[in-house]
Amino acid sequence: VYKRQVPDRPMPSNFALQMDSFARSIQRGEEPEVTGEDGLKALRVLLAAYESWETHRVVSLSQRPAERGRSFS
């Protein structure tokens, strides 16, 4: 099984590594390493961080409703 190690720190090549991994998963008919659910979780964290910055308060992810219909502009 092919596994490529991706560093934890931001690097210009990380996006290319992710795209390679995603393309490989499509070619092999496998689940991608990073799923749409992973992306939604990251987006929820980002939106909570924005809300926290705007309101100057702690925002709990467990208390936030789903982000359906929210504008991202």
Side-chain angles (χ1 to χ4, degrees):
V1 174
Y2 176 84
K3 279 286 188 188
R4 181 177 235 170
Q5 294 292 336
V6 178
D8 260 351
R9 62 190 186 284
M11 298 180 69
S13 63
N14 280 359
F15 186 69
L17 292 172
Q18 288 177 351
M19 294 305 294
D20 286 345
S21 173
F22 183 70
R24 195 171 26 265
S25 69
I26 292 171
Q27 290 172 336
R28 295 178 179 173
E30 299 171 351
E31 183 78 14
E33 289 182 66
V34 180
T35 66
E37 284 295 318
D38 295 327
L40 287 174
K41 288 175 186 176
L43 178 60
R44 288 191 75 217
V45 170
L46 179 65
L47 292 174
Y50 283 150
E51 182 179 336
S52 179
W53 181 79
E54 290 172 351
T55 63
H56 303 283
R57 65 181 180 82
V58 174
V59 175
S60 170
L61 292 176
S62 63
Q63 297 174 347
R64 291 179 57 80
E67 300 293 339
R68 300 191 191 286
R70 179 166 175 166
S71 171
F72 300 110
S73 57

